[in-house]
Amino acid sequence: MTSSQEAQLIEQCRTNPEAFGQVFDCWYKPVFGYIMRRTGDYNLSKDIAAETFLKAFLKISSFQWRGISLSAWLYRIATNELNQYYRSSKYKPQSLQQLLENPHLEKLLRHEVDDERELMEVELKAYNDYNLIREKLPLLDIKYQEVIALRYFEQKTNTEISQILDKNEGTIKSLLSRGLEKLRNML
């Protein structure tokens, strides 16, 4: 989606909350996949993804163009939710009740869970190397987990990662290098 299309979609969401369904349709699967690959837990990933899109829905009217795309903004929210999960002993969605009470987010609740779950399970089983790395990745500091997951699981460029994590590109390169070295030593 081009930046002008994103700007138009954001404007539609500001005047018509139902237009957020287009944001959900376009970015739910990649953001959910990112979360799933970070946690390895389907149900937890569903909770974090729901919280991510709820927060995006509630804040889309205040979204401002600051050099990052809507996609990077959504990944940033997801990353913050993941960090919240890893910082706490048990993840507690803060606004799940709002999700259940909001009729405009009905589309989020009607998503075909069974097909999605089956697809994700098949994908995870197909990557033995991924499973080994996934086992070791949580042992790294979160700062390394973030950049490795975004770069290699989500195929984001260093520039995109820089936007998502709000860090300069040189820092991203350094974190990737150090994180990969630490991961190699674990394997």
Side-chain angles (χ1 to χ4, degrees):
M1 187 173 281
T2 67
S3 58
S4 63
Q5 290 172 321
E6 284 185 8
Q8 186 177 29
L9 179 56
I10 291 166
E11 215 34 62
Q12 289 173 352
C13 290
R14 287 182 177 142
T15 58
N16 177 10
E18 291 179 15
F20 188 79
Q22 293 175 8
V23 172
F24 179 83
D25 290 343
C26 189
W27 286 288
Y28 179 81
K29 282 187 179 186
V31 170
F32 174 80
Y34 165 63
I35 295 166
M36 178 71 178
R37 286 183 282 276
R38 286 278 311 272
T39 66
D41 182 317
Y42 178 81
N43 291 324
L44 175 62
S45 298
K46 292 291 286 182
D47 287 346
I48 293 173
E51 188 70 11
T52 296
F53 279 88
L54 174 62
K55 286 188 177 178
F57 175 78
L58 296 173
K59 299 281 185 185
I60 194 117
S61 62
S62 62
F63 178 86
Q64 299 199 357
W65 292 98
R66 294 186 185 141
I68 68 165
S69 66
L70 185 55
S71 171
W73 182 64
L74 291 168
Y75 274 95
R76 184 180 288 177
I77 295 169
T79 298
N80 289 339
E81 289 300 304
L82 283 161
N83 290 343
Q84 179 182 336
Y85 165 73
Y86 285 118
R87 279 192 301 267
S88 66
S89 60
K90 189 175 181 183
Y91 182 72
K92 299 171 191 121
Q94 297 174 357
S95 30
L96 187 56
Q97 189 59 38
Q98 288 175 325
L99 175 66
L100 297 173
E101 293 171 356
N102 193 324
H104 298 294
L105 291 179
E106 194 175 323
K107 193 168 195 171
L108 289 173
L109 298 174
R110 282 191 268 141
H111 202 274
E112 296 179 17
V113 174
D114 292 336
D115 291 343
E116 182 179 321
R117 182 179 196 148
E118 186 177 309
L119 180 65
M120 292 306 295
E121 288 172 353
V122 167
E123 182 180 319
L124 286 175
K125 288 177 185 173
Y127 297 102
N128 291 330
D129 289 344
Y130 164 80
N131 288 329
L132 179 60
I133 291 169
R134 174 70 197 101
E135 182 181 308
K136 301 296 182 188
L137 192 62
L139 302 175
L140 294 174
D141 288 342
I142 288 177
K143 61 186 178 184
Y144 300 124
Q145 289 180 41
E146 292 172 341
V147 294
I148 290 171
L150 287 167
R151 180 71 178 107
Y152 295 102
F153 299 151
E154 303 307 312
Q155 288 80 41
K156 298 296 181 191
T157 65
N158 288 348
T159 302
E160 291 170 318
I161 297 169
S162 172
Q163 292 173 346
I164 291 167
L165 299 180
D166 198 23
K167 294 181 181 177
N168 93 29
E169 214 168 320
T171 303
I172 298 302
K173 289 176 185 176
S174 177
L175 288 171
L176 273 170
S177 177
R178 288 186 202 136
L180 290 172
E181 183 61 32
K182 289 179 182 289
L183 193 57
R184 277 187 210 103
N185 290 338
M186 288 180 185
L187 298 174

